[in-house]
Amino acid sequence: MFFDLLLSIFAILAFLQTGLICDYYMFARRKLRFDLAIFLALGIGFIAVFQMVLGFFEFPLNRFLVMVLAFGAFLPYVLDSLLRKQVFGVLFGFRKFINSNNLLVILIFFVFAVVVGFFTFSHPVWGYDAIQRWLSKAYIFWMDGGINKTNILMVSPADDPNLWSLTASWFYYFLGKADLFWIQVIPFSVLFCLVGKFWLIVKRGKLGLLWLIILMFTSFLWQTVTLKAYSGNADLLVSFYFLLAFGLLFSQEFIYTAVFLGLGALTKNDALPALLAFCILMPVFGRKRKQKFPLLAFAIGWGFLLFNFGFKYYFSLSSRYLENDWNLVLGKRPIFEYTKYSLQSFREEFRHVDHWGIGFLVIGYFILSRIGRVLNNRVLLFGLVLILAQITGYIWTYYVTREDQASQIATSIYRLVLQIYPALLLLAFFLYSGLPKSGNVRE
């Protein structure tokens, strides 16, 4: 048990280190901006994309190779003195952080981590979707040494993206077994980084601690990790990627927005509308007088979109939502009535205080009362349009689904709302605080 814990911690450190070197060498131009949330998100994403690329060539993985690659991620500390100096400078600087006025926040995070950790690790993963879909695929990929054209079709629905399953299978290599208990270290780390990143952003504005408490007391956010019924699913990862994408969008760091929207779409098909809208609308919202058009971000967004579709085409992953008899759908399902029912369902879910606390009351108030600021701020409007594109995608899915609409909504709407909730709460914070004026949200 203790040895498994050590291996699990090392696996998380390897994800973080992989993300650090990706950010340091690919995006930050060898200037360290220490951010655990971004490092974890990039590390998970890079390793998943790496495995997907290996799948094209049917190159097999094994535990020895994965451990060599994990240790190799730490080699830059030996080879790059500038990186080593910057990282050690940050680590030694944490002493100053602890001795500052952050003791209350540190205490809140400590209590949050202890309470959530206690309930999380009181049981193994037991959620139906997690066992039957996401982690079943992870087990198959781990047993077969990666993705191939046969095993990717074994678990239905085959067109589900594989980022979470590949992340879990990579973790299994560290432990040497498909463990349904320690795999929870990953979603627990994601939740902690999500909440931590939210705090790093909101602390720059007024009443930042109050906004943090609103997020922390959102029961369904931490229940996706603590409750057996929801632990081990992919929705929290989408929520994590969306929070990062929109937080960095509001600071006009469009490259990171493109990357995280792309990784979100590789996690669940639900996240495709935001990526597609970003690619289409970037020429409209990304252009500003006296500023260069963010061509690289535009190219990265389209690159992720084409990679997503190309992967599905190569592995013959047909979509269960696109392959429909449209005459039958339109003939038997009145579009206005179905859309109205979906909108009413979202309205009722937003009012579900047992899931969201006062979160959506706050979100609704600031969006409606400060719509003028949204319309006058290019990046805030862009963010709201992308979120509306997401909701439109959800409603379209509920219209064309082969299942009964009411049953489909009842069993999934709270998970879809989770995906956009932290990003919407962040938008409400920006509307309240008057940010962003300039600068960025990286710390």
Side-chain angles (χ1 to χ4, degrees):
M1 179 69 76
F2 181 70
F3 188 59
D4 288 344
L5 173 60
L6 293 179
L7 288 174
S8 300
I9 293 173
F10 177 66
I12 295 298
L13 291 176
F15 281 122
L16 288 168
Q17 177 60 22
T18 301
L20 186 153
I21 60 176
C22 285
D23 186 45
Y24 184 75
Y25 291 110
M26 296 173 63
F27 304 117
R29 300 178 181 179
R30 299 191 69 195
K31 181 179 179 181
L32 181 69
R33 297 190 291 178
F34 199 84
D35 193 316
L36 291 178
I38 286 180
F39 295 161
L40 182 62
L42 286 176
I44 288 174
F46 176 84
I47 288 172
V49 171
F50 172 70
Q51 292 178 85
M52 293 171 75
V53 172
L54 292 183
F56 285 114
F57 304 100
E58 297 190 6
F59 186 91
L61 286 169
N62 55 56
R63 190 183 189 191
F64 174 77
L65 180 58
V66 168
M67 296 299 282
V68 168
L69 293 173
F71 279 104
F74 293 88
L75 275 179
Y77 292 127
V78 178
L79 305 175
D80 191 331
S81 60
L82 179 60
L83 173 63
R84 183 171 64 250
K85 180 180 178 181
Q86 293 182 69
V87 171
F88 288 164
V90 170
L91 294 178
F92 292 138
F94 270 111
R95 188 176 180 182
K96 179 181 178 182
F97 174 81
I98 295 174
N99 291 332
S100 68
N101 296 323
N102 294 310
L103 289 178
L104 176 60
V105 176
I106 293 172
L107 178 62
I108 290 173
F109 270 94
F110 176 77
V111 173
F112 180 76
V114 169
V115 173
V116 173
F118 174 80
F119 288 103
T120 299
F121 296 103
S122 65
H123 58 77
V125 172
W126 200 250
Y128 177 83
D129 281 356
I131 297 295
Q132 296 297 319
R133 294 169 62 180
W134 306 108
L135 297 182
S136 288
K137 287 201 293 184
Y139 176 78
I140 293 170
F141 296 155
W142 170 67
M143 287 292 292
D144 290 354
I147 290 178
N148 58 57
K149 287 189 173 183
T150 300
N151 65 17
I152 201 170
L153 301 174
M154 288 183 176
V155 178
S156 179
D159 61 314
D160 271 340
N162 297 288
L163 184 143
W164 168 226
S165 299
L166 289 168
T167 301
S169 69
W170 190 268
F171 183 85
Y172 291 161
Y173 287 115
F174 282 86
L175 269 65
K177 57 184 176 180
D179 193 298
L180 294 181
F181 180 81
W182 290 112
I183 190 64
Q184 296 174 111
V185 169
I186 299 177
F188 176 78
S189 301
V190 168
L191 175 65
F192 192 83
C193 285
L194 186 156
V195 176
K197 182 61 179 178
F198 187 86
W199 163 244
L200 290 177
I201 297 173
V202 300
K203 75 174 186 176
R204 299 170 61 241
K206 297 177 291 184
L207 298 178
L209 186 58
L210 178 60
W211 288 89
L212 174 65
I213 291 173
I214 290 174
L215 182 72
M216 278 187 165
F217 277 83
T218 301
S219 58
F220 192 68
L221 178 67
W222 45 265
Q223 284 174 353
T224 57
V225 176
T226 62
L227 296 185
K228 296 182 189 179
Y230 307 119
S231 64
N233 288 336
D235 302 281
L236 181 65
L237 258 177
V238 177
S239 182
F240 182 44
Y241 280 127
F242 275 178
L243 174 75
L244 294 173
F246 286 95
L248 292 158
L249 171 69
F250 297 148
S251 65
Q252 301 187 56
E253 296 195 67
F254 295 116
I255 290 176
Y256 287 100
T257 300
V259 170
F260 291 131
L261 287 179
L263 293 176
L266 291 177
T267 306
K268 289 197 76 174
N269 286 324
D270 302 335
L272 269 171
L275 175 62
L276 184 60
F278 177 86
C279 293
I280 294 173
L281 298 175
M282 191 65 189
V284 177
F285 290 97
R287 190 180 300 277
K288 188 178 180 181
R289 290 181 182 179
K290 299 181 181 180
Q291 286 187 356
K292 291 177 63 177
F293 176 72
L295 184 61
L296 181 57
F298 184 65
I300 289 174
W302 276 103
F304 269 104
L305 192 64
L306 294 175
F307 178 78
N308 192 309
F309 291 144
F311 183 87
K312 291 174 180 176
Y313 176 79
Y314 180 81
F315 286 97
S316 303
L317 306 179
S318 56
S319 173
R320 61 192 185 278
Y321 295 121
L322 294 178
E323 292 189 350
N324 277 304
D325 184 339
W326 294 105
N327 290 327
L328 184 63
V329 171
L330 294 171
K332 288 195 171 184
R333 294 187 171 185
I335 188 168
F336 292 109
E337 285 79 358
Y338 271 67
T339 301
K340 180 181 178 181
Y341 184 85
S342 294
L343 288 171
Q344 290 174 337
S345 299
F346 275 102
R347 180 196 65 193
E348 292 305 310
E349 183 61 29
F350 293 156
R351 294 163 58 182
H352 198 328
V353 294
D354 287 346
H355 281 168
W356 314 109
I358 64 170
F360 275 105
L361 297 176
V362 174
I363 291 166
Y365 172 77
F366 283 110
I367 290 179
L368 293 176
S369 65
R370 306 198 179 182
I371 191 66
R373 171 162 166 73
V374 175
L375 297 176
N376 290 325
N377 187 299
R378 179 174 55 104
V379 293
L380 293 180
L381 180 58
F382 194 13
L384 181 59
V385 169
L386 295 183
I387 292 173
L388 291 176
Q390 267 300 115
I391 296 174
T392 301
Y394 299 151
I395 292 172
W396 176 82
T397 300
Y398 284 143
Y399 176 68
V400 302
T401 182
R402 295 175 183 176
E403 293 82 6
D404 172 70
Q405 184 195 32
S407 300
Q408 182 81 335
I409 288 175
T411 57
S412 66
I413 191 168
Y414 45 88
R415 291 186 279 109
L416 298 182
V417 171
L418 171 68
Q419 296 172 9
I420 59 174
Y421 171 72
L424 274 171
L425 192 61
L426 193 61
L427 173 61
F429 161 76
F430 280 120
L431 292 174
Y432 163 76
S433 64
L435 300 172
K437 294 177 181 177
S438 61
N440 64 63
V441 302
R442 292 288 301 268
E443 289 290 337

